[in-house]
Amino acid sequence: MNQDRKPIYSVFLLLILATALILACIVLHPFVNILIVGVVLAALFRPVHRRVTGLCGPHKNTLAALLTTGLIFTCIIIPIFFFLGSLLAQGVQSVNALQTQLASTDFNKLFSHDSIAPYMDWVQEHLPFLDIKKLALQADLIDISKNAGQVLLDSGTRVIGNFFVLTMNFLILMFVLFFLIRDGHAMLAQLRYLVPLTNDQENRIIRQLDDISKSVILGAFVIALAQGLAGGIGLFIVGIPPFFWGCMMGFASLIPVVGTAIIWLPVSIYLMLTGQWQWGLFMMAWGVVVISSIDSFIRPLLMQNRSNMSTFWVFLSIIGGIKFFGALGILYGPLILGFAMVMLTLYAEDYRHVLEERNLVLAPGSSTETLPEK
């Protein structure tokens, strides 16, 4: 080819490539969430696939991928489907029971009880601007419970109405999972061939994203399951329906800082206000000692040690991810922030000489920072 035509050829080729990639993104946009969840599940179940491949034989990769996909569907997808159905049904029942209890409770008589009156007097003495007896506490609580019940009903109606769409998404997810499990190595090798980075840089990016995805699942969903189970046990002991409110406690564990206290603290206060002091104190102690300790000690170990991200950045990435992407932001937020961090590390290593010359970072081994000359 003529040397004078090479720049034109390169520009034309890059324009066509950019156009093709934009069109491909438009076509694949409806399946982005399914693809990302499929990649995470395929990476998470890679050890299982290796074990199944060892049982089936090295030349039966298709059969091993099919069995692994079926195992994921049986152990995860189907239980989640039935779990959500039971959760919505019992949620409506629990909210209705709560509304009935609130409607039948005389809060004025409750606040005048001998065991509560001294505390009410203390509040009126030290917080005179807060007149609890004039607050429409009962009406507000009933409205909140009605709104919660309406949300549950709307969620159930939406799930039933979109049953066909959900079924199709599950089938597409299984289809994507099968090919990612079977041909994932070949797809990754092709991607690494097209990316103009060194093997070490590519390995570090892939390892960081893999560690973050696993740590998010372990640090978020496993901890939510553990806290929901512990909360359900405590609720069962004090005589409150454990399934729905235990599940709500598991979901609340995803909220940084406050977490499960959104559930067990009001329950403890409610038990105390209704005269069940022993159970109220027990529930509060159970929440502080048992439930909160799971979040305080296990979550940082699972999420920090794998991804080398501090708890501070993990929590901020989860909050920002949920705000921007919705529920899947629990996964997307840490992935995006982790990817940015590893890219910053690679940038700092490749341009260390430039950064050090301009005194933007400390030179290796130096104890003080050299200020730029005026």
Side-chain angles (χ1 to χ4, degrees):
M1 181 178 293
N2 192 340
Q3 296 293 329
D4 296 335
R5 297 179 59 186
K6 282 189 175 180
I8 298 176
Y9 170 79
S10 299
V11 172
F12 184 69
L13 178 62
L14 290 176
L15 286 175
I16 294 178
L17 176 61
T19 303
L21 291 176
I22 292 174
L23 293 175
C25 290
I26 294 174
V27 172
L28 296 177
H29 181 264
F31 310 105
V32 169
N33 292 333
I34 294 176
L35 288 171
I36 295 177
V37 172
V39 170
V40 172
L41 287 177
L44 185 64
F45 281 84
R46 189 168 55 239
V48 177
H49 178 245
R50 291 199 192 102
R51 183 70 62 87
V52 175
T53 302
L55 297 175
C56 295
H59 302 293
K60 295 183 179 180
N61 192 29
T62 300
L63 177 61
L66 185 63
L67 292 175
T68 305
T69 305
L71 186 64
I72 295 173
F73 182 75
T74 304
C75 297
I76 295 181
I77 305 300
I78 292 180
I80 287 177
F81 181 78
F82 286 103
F83 169 78
L84 291 177
S86 301
L87 180 63
L88 289 173
Q90 295 198 15
V92 173
Q93 295 176 1
S94 298
V95 171
N96 289 335
L98 179 61
Q99 291 179 8
T100 303
Q101 181 68 26
L102 290 174
S104 61
T105 301
D106 187 353
F107 282 87
N108 292 327
K109 181 179 179 180
L110 182 64
F111 291 147
S112 302
H113 195 272
D114 294 338
S115 60
I116 299 178
Y119 299 96
M120 299 297 299
D121 295 337
W122 183 91
V123 171
Q124 291 181 359
E125 180 181 354
H126 294 84
L127 302 174
F129 59 89
L130 183 61
D131 192 350
I132 298 179
K133 293 184 178 179
K134 292 183 179 180
L135 295 177
L137 186 61
Q138 185 175 24
D140 291 340
L141 290 176
I142 292 176
D143 289 339
I144 293 173
S145 63
K146 287 182 178 179
N147 292 333
Q150 188 62 44
V151 169
L152 289 172
L153 286 174
D154 293 341
S155 300
T157 303
R158 192 160 50 248
V159 169
I160 296 174
N162 296 332
F163 180 78
F164 177 76
V165 176
L166 292 174
T167 303
M168 288 300 299
N169 287 336
F170 281 139
L171 293 177
I172 294 172
L173 177 60
M174 292 300 101
F175 178 81
V176 169
L177 261 177
F178 170 76
F179 283 98
L180 287 174
I181 292 173
R182 192 189 70 173
D183 305 325
H185 288 290
M187 295 178 184
L188 184 60
Q190 181 67 21
L191 180 63
R192 296 182 63 169
Y193 173 77
L194 296 173
V195 174
L197 296 175
T198 65
N199 289 333
D200 179 65
Q201 290 174 333
E202 292 172 351
N203 291 333
R204 292 172 65 179
I205 293 173
I206 294 172
R207 183 168 56 250
Q208 176 78 348
L209 295 179
D210 183 63
D211 288 343
I212 289 175
S213 62
K214 291 179 180 178
S215 67
V216 168
I217 292 176
L218 292 175
F221 296 103
V222 174
I223 296 301
L225 178 63
Q227 288 192 306
L229 181 61
I233 293 173
L235 293 170
F236 175 78
I237 294 174
V238 299
I240 293 177
F243 181 76
F244 174 74
W245 295 110
C247 292
M248 291 299 99
M249 207 173 293
F251 289 131
S253 69
L254 301 175
I255 303 174
V257 183
V258 181
T260 56
I262 294 178
I263 305 296
W264 59 258
L265 185 58
V267 169
S268 303
I269 296 174
Y270 170 78
L271 291 173
M272 292 179 184
L273 290 176
T274 54
Q276 304 178 60
W277 285 93
Q278 297 85 351
W279 291 125
L281 292 174
F282 169 81
M283 191 65 213
M284 186 172 292
W286 184 271
V288 173
V289 177
V290 179
I291 302 174
S292 298
S293 63
I294 296 176
D295 182 78
S296 302
F297 296 102
I298 300 180
R299 185 194 297 269
L301 294 176
L302 290 176
M303 300 190 76
Q304 180 179 348
N305 292 349
R306 278 182 170 270
S307 60
N308 294 321
M309 289 175 62
S310 68
T311 305
F312 172 78
W313 290 116
V314 171
F315 282 167
L316 285 183
S317 64
I318 291 177
I319 295 173
I322 292 175
K323 185 176 181 180
F324 195 82
F325 297 104
L328 287 175
I330 297 171
L331 177 62
Y332 292 173
L335 279 177
I336 293 173
L337 191 61
F339 178 70
M341 286 183 173
V342 72
M343 291 308 301
L344 284 173
T345 302
L346 296 178
Y347 164 79
E349 292 178 354
D350 278 4
Y351 291 91
R352 182 182 297 274
H353 60 288
V354 178
L355 297 174
E356 290 176 357
E357 287 176 2
R358 299 186 61 182
N359 298 316
L360 296 178
V361 297
L362 289 173
S366 62
S367 58
T368 59
E369 184 176 4
T370 305
L371 297 176
E373 297 180 0
K374 295 183 179 180

